[in-house]
Amino acid sequence: METGDVLIRPLRPEDLPAAMRLKEAAGWNQTEQDWMNLLELQPDGCFALEYAGSLASTATVICYGRELAWIGMVLTAPEYRGRGFARAVMERSLECLRERGVAWIKLDATDMGWPLYRKLGFEDEGPVERWALQAPAGPARAAEVVSGFSLDEALDREAFGADRRAVLRRLARWEAVSVPGCGYAMGRPGSKAFYFGPCVCRTAEGARALLLHFLIRHAGELIFWDVLPANREALRLAEQFGFQRRRRLVRMVLPGSPAPPLRNNDQLIYGIAGFEYG
C-alpha cells in the first residue's frame, strides 16, 4: 500500500458527502441517513482512509455485544482502487474488533470484495440474494392481522443469534409493523429503491401479510428485498409476488474464535436488515 499521505481515522459526519460519492460510484442503495445511523450506533467503529486530503476508502463496524460484529460499507473510490486501501481499512476494523474481544465477525461480500476477504481469513457461510420489484400500483387489500410494531426479543435473538435491539430500535424509526405473536417487518427509504427488511417471522403466512402491507404502502415504487436462500419459504414468497433476482452476495465469517458457534435460525429470517447490518 502507498503509505505517504495516507491516514486512517474515525469517519465523521462532515465526511458523509464524500462517503456518498463513494457509495454512488459503487451503485449502492444507502442514503446519507444510513451513514448517519452507522455513525450514531457505533461511532468508534466507522473508519475513513484519507489519501492526500481526500476520502479514499471506508469501512464500518456494528457490534452486537461481544458475541458478534458485522463489517460493512467497505468502499474505495474508483480512482484509488488497487492500492491496498480497502485492505488497510479492513485491517483497522479487525484490529478494533480484536481489541473489543468480539467472538464472531461476519460480513456480506460482493464479487469485488470477496477475494480480499478470503485473503484476510474469512470463509464462505452462504449466499445472500437481492430481489427487486416495481410494486403494483393497482388496488389491493391489506392484511387485517398487521398491527403496530412490537418486538419479540426472544424470537429475534433466536433468528439472528445475537442481541440487536439497539439496531432495531434505530431502524424502527422509519416504518415497522408486526403480526402479533408471529413476527415483525421494517422498511426504510433508499437512494435507488425502498428497502424491505429486516423481517423475522414464525410462519410464511405471517411474512406474506407483512410483505403485502409494505407493497400496498409503497405501490408504484421500486422495492429491494435481501433474502437468505436457506429460507426456501422466503424465496417462494419473492417468486409469488413477482420479485426478480438482482444480485447475489456471499455471507462470510472469520473463523478461529474459541467461542461456541452462534445459534441462529435462518428459517425465521424473511429479510435481512441490510448488508451493513446482517
Side-chain angles (χ1 to χ4, degrees):
M1 184 188 77
E2 299 182 25
T3 55
D5 298 323
V6 171
L7 171 68
I8 298 178
R9 58 168 177 79
L11 188 71
R12 301 186 288 256
E14 55 265 34
D15 294 315
L16 296 192
M20 283 293 287
R21 289 193 288 273
L22 268 62
K23 188 275 307 184
E24 285 297 322
W28 293 3
N29 189 47
Q30 286 85 359
T31 64
E32 191 165 304
Q33 182 60 58
D34 289 317
W35 284 100
M36 186 59 71
N37 290 341
L38 293 162
L39 281 173
E40 292 178 350
L41 284 164
Q42 202 77 57
D44 58 348
C46 298
F47 299 101
L49 186 148
E50 191 177 301
Y51 177 69
S54 297
L55 183 68
S57 193
T58 61
T60 62
V61 167
I62 289 289
C63 291
Y64 300 102
R66 291 191 175 181
E67 295 172 277
L68 174 66
W70 214 276
I71 296 177
M73 305 306 287
V74 182
L75 290 159
T76 300
E79 63 269 27
Y80 294 127
R81 290 172 186 164
R83 302 190 187 193
F85 291 172
R87 183 181 186 112
V89 77
M90 273 293 298
E91 288 175 342
R92 179 65 189 91
S93 300
L94 294 174
E95 178 186 359
C96 165
L97 295 175
R98 284 193 292 268
E99 290 170 354
R100 287 174 170 270
V102 175
W104 294 96
I105 304 170
K106 295 188 179 186
L107 53 79
D108 291 329
T110 63
D111 291 343
M112 183 180 294
W114 185 87
L116 168 61
Y117 306 139
R118 287 288 294 178
K119 290 175 184 176
L120 292 171
F122 283 83
E123 295 180 355
D124 294 0
E125 185 175 81
V128 189
E129 294 180 348
R130 168 154 292 175
W131 291 66
L133 173 70
Q134 195 76 37
R141 183 178 178 182
E144 295 178 358
V145 295
V146 174
S147 66
F149 175 65
S150 176
L151 178 62
D152 183 334
E153 295 176 9
L155 171 65
D156 193 76
R157 188 179 182 104
E158 179 185 353
F160 187 67
D163 182 355
R164 57 175 178 173
R165 284 175 294 177
V167 167
L168 296 180
R169 283 195 295 267
R170 165 72 54 160
L171 298 183
R173 295 179 182 182
W174 282 267
E175 295 184 40
V177 291
S178 296
V179 172
C182 189
Y184 75 87
M186 298 180 183
R188 60 189 185 273
S191 62
K192 302 182 184 304
F194 181 81
Y195 188 84
F196 174 69
C199 179
V200 173
C201 221
R202 298 184 189 278
T203 68
E205 292 76 15
R208 173 188 288 276
L210 291 163
L211 176 59
L212 180 60
H213 169 88
F214 280 94
L215 293 180
I216 293 171
R217 282 185 58 86
H218 296 276
E221 297 181 35
L222 181 63
I223 311 291
F224 284 170
W225 179 16
D226 295 333
V227 176
L228 300 175
N231 185 336
R232 303 301 301 174
E233 293 296 331
L235 291 185
R236 274 192 277 273
L237 281 177
E239 291 168 350
Q240 289 167 8
F241 276 93
F243 281 80
Q244 299 294 315
R245 187 182 288 106
R246 273 284 185 93
R247 61 190 298 209
R248 174 175 281 211
L249 283 74
V250 179
R251 181 153 290 187
M252 305 184 78
V253 60
L254 188 64
S257 171
L262 289 169
R263 299 183 64 182
N264 60 295
N265 186 350
D266 290 349
Q267 303 309 310
L268 298 174
I269 297 178
Y270 284 83
I272 71 168
F275 299 136
E276 65 270 44
Y277 296 114

